[in-house]
């Protein structure tokens, strides 16, 4: 089975081909991501209309390149999987309309895939998924969720952020420090040479006995701390970056381990753009290891937006025989839990 994945929900145009056959774990035959970061960086964030236009200009050629890389042609495809939401409406429309057109012309079924389900299952691209149920920490630019995965399409939300997402906190803190968009990687780079103990920042909700998060207070604390600094030299900026990173990561790790202990899960997966953060990955492995919880990490390029995860999620759905909705549209808002009730 060959599945073409297409992802255009935000600022990366991506295509990939996933190949699997009965009994094997499957593999990626080709994948490419065309990042729009440079285009949006000068605006300090994603400009939706610009994103849509870039997707439109980039996607057709990118798909041809990926098919060439995979060594297959359109008739070799069994399905096209496309991100149908959540995301930017215009950006989603480009991907879904193009996928529908390609599916129609080539007589290939088109499967709408939930972007967060793609992230959630992405660790399976690089290593076999652990047995169900397991816990996944899903940390992207717009979402911070702890999910119990009971099976493909069966997701129980254990906790979520009540305000800003972790990625948003990285991005907003970076902006306060005058760092470029996207803020997460910029903070992570600077933090390498910083002292995380120099600034005392809150660990919001850390000691509350639930699995929810809150990051907007942390961002405000960063704002006040930055205002107090008269001379923001390079070292001070690095120390602040390290302090912010430590605060975010410690909360994410603490709550993820609590989720595993509360649900009795011995397997913890992390996914989404923030999962590319090396401090988070190291801290998670050390602290989860102490509790005999096994951590499953996707490769760095499969943490951030990519199309392999979309094709892979579709493959898992098809293998489970999960029916595809006849009528569907791009959905900028689409709660993950709705998948469980389908
Ligand atoms: O999953 P993703 O690529 O796109 C969304 O679906 O949102 O996540 C993007 C988020 C951004 O907030 C970005 O700053 C953050 O992931 N991010 C990171 C790192 N790489 C990306 N945050 C911290 N450290 C990183 N290395
Ligand atoms: Zn994403």
């Amino acid at each position: 089975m060959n599945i073409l994945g297409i992802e255009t929900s935000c600022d990366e145009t991506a295509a990939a081909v996933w190949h699997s056959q009965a009994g094997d774990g499957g593999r990626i035959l080709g994948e490419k991501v065309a990042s729009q970061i440079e285009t949006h960086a000068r605006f300090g964030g994603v400009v939706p209309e610009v994103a849509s236009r870039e997707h439109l200009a980039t996607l057709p050629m990118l798909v041809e390149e990926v098919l060439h890389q995979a060594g297959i042609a359109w008739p070799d495809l069994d399905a096209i999987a496309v991100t149908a939401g959540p995301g930017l409406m215009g950006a989603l429309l480009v991907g879904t309309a193009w996928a529908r057109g390609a599916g129609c012309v080539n007589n290939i079924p088109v499967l709408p895939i939930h972007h967060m389900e793609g992230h959630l299952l992405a660790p399976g691209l690089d290593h076999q998924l652990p047995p169900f149920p397991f816990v996944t920490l899903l940390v992207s630019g717009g979402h911070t969720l702890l999910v119990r995965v009971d099976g493909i399409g069966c997701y129980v939300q254990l906790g979520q952020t009540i305000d800003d997402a972790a990625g948003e906190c990285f991005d907003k803190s970076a902006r306060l420090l005058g760092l470029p968009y996207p803020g997460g990687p910029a903070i992570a780079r600077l933090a390498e040479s910083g002292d995380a103990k120099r600034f005392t920042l809150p660990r919001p909700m850390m000691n509350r006995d639930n699995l929810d998060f809150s990051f907007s207070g942390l961002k405000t604390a960063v704002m006040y701390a930055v205002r107090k600094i008269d001379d923001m030299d390079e070292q001070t900026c690095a120390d602040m970056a390290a302090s912010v990173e430590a605060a975010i990561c410690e909360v994410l790790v603490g709550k993820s381990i609590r989720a595993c202990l509360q649900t009795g899960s011995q397997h913890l997966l992390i996914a989404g753009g923030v999962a590319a953060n090396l401090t988070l990955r190291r801290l998670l492995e050390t602290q989860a290891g102490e509790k005999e919880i096994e951590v499953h990490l996707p490769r760095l390029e499969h943490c951030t937006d990519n199309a392999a995860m979309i094709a892979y999620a579709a493959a898992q759905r098809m293998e489970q025989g999960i029916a595809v909705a006849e009528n569907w549209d791009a959905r900028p808002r689409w709660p993950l839990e709705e998948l469980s009730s389908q």
Side-chain angles (χ1 to χ4, degrees):
M1 182 164 70
N2 293 318
I3 301 178
L4 170 68
I6 291 176
E7 156 64 40
T8 65
S9 66
C10 190
D11 58 349
E12 324 273 5
T13 317
V17 175
W18 176 260
H19 169 83
S20 61
Q21 53 197 37
D24 78 354
R27 67 202 158 96
I28 297 167
L29 294 186
E31 66 170 327
K32 279 185 187 282
V33 178
S35 174
Q36 303 179 2
I37 284 176
E38 273 182 31
T39 311
H40 298 289
R42 69 193 132 119
F43 301 110
V46 181
V47 183
E49 182 57 26
V50 175
S52 311
R53 286 166 195 261
E54 284 229 0
H55 287 310
L56 197 55
T58 311
L59 183 61
M61 192 52 95
L62 197 75
V63 170
E64 290 305 330
E65 285 172 12
V66 162
L67 292 179
H68 179 74
Q69 192 184 41
I72 63 167
W74 284 100
D76 302 320
L77 287 172
D78 298 282
I80 301 174
V82 62
T83 304
L88 302 170
M89 187 49 159
L92 291 168
L93 280 174
V94 173
T96 52
W98 197 86
R100 276 189 162 128
C104 185
V105 169
N106 296 288
N107 201 20
I108 305 168
V110 180
L111 278 71
I113 297 295
H114 193 292
H115 181 78
M116 303 314 288
E117 182 176 48
H119 276 306
L120 198 70
L121 301 176
L125 284 168
D126 304 313
H127 312 281
Q128 210 184 339
L129 290 175
F132 301 115
F134 53 78
V135 170
T136 301
L137 169 70
L138 199 51
V139 267
S140 69
H143 293 79
T144 301
L145 300 174
L146 272 165
V147 181
R148 196 185 73 214
V149 179
D150 290 344
I152 303 299
C154 303
Y155 310 119
V156 178
Q157 204 167 292
L158 303 170
Q160 63 170 325
T161 180
I162 58 167
D163 41 55
D164 290 355
E168 207 173 343
C169 188
F170 268 111
D171 294 338
K172 288 178 176 169
S173 303
R175 205 185 253 240
L176 290 167
L177 288 171
L179 301 175
Y181 161 86
I187 288 208
R189 263 193 308 277
L190 205 57
E192 281 171 25
S193 54
D195 172 9
K197 294 204 171 70
R198 174 150 170 212
F199 295 99
T200 309
L201 295 171
R203 272 49 174 166
M205 314 265 283
M206 184 77 157
N207 296 320
R208 293 240 190 117
D209 194 27
N210 62 21
L211 298 172
D212 288 330
F213 302 90
S214 163
F215 288 107
S216 89
L218 174 56
K219 168 201 66 192
T220 309
V222 174
M223 184 180 78
Y224 285 122
V226 168
R227 272 193 200 160
K228 273 199 222 153
I229 299 167
D230 294 327
D231 181 18
M232 182 61 90
D233 58 28
E234 215 171 292
Q235 189 56 52
T236 307
C237 194
D239 293 344
M240 183 60 82
S243 303
V244 174
E245 184 182 62
I248 297 174
C249 293
E250 279 177 31
V251 175
L252 292 175
V253 170
K255 294 265 171 167
S256 301
I257 292 176
R258 184 176 298 163
C260 289
L261 296 178
Q262 282 185 8
T263 55
S265 172
Q266 286 169 330
H267 296 278
L268 174 62
L269 280 63
I270 60 168
V274 179
N277 185 280
L278 298 181
T279 302
L280 175 63
R281 294 164 80 99
R282 277 195 293 265
L283 202 62
L284 209 50
E285 286 200 303
T286 320
Q287 296 199 3
E290 285 166 9
K291 305 274 183 210
E292 296 188 2
I293 297 165
E294 197 180 328
V295 179
H296 303 256
L297 304 164
R299 287 210 322 252
L300 295 185
E301 63 268 37
H302 292 145
C303 292
T304 43
D305 288 350
N306 65 88
M309 67 181 192
I310 302 302
Y312 178 76
Q316 303 313 303
R317 292 190 149 252
M318 286 168 79
E319 278 171 24
Q320 298 297 313
I322 301 173
V324 184
E326 290 277 309
N327 297 312
W328 57 271
D329 284 311
R331 288 183 65 180
R333 288 176 187 277
W334 185 3
L336 181 69
E337 281 191 315
E338 270 189 33
L339 295 182
S340 309
S341 54
Q342 276 177 3

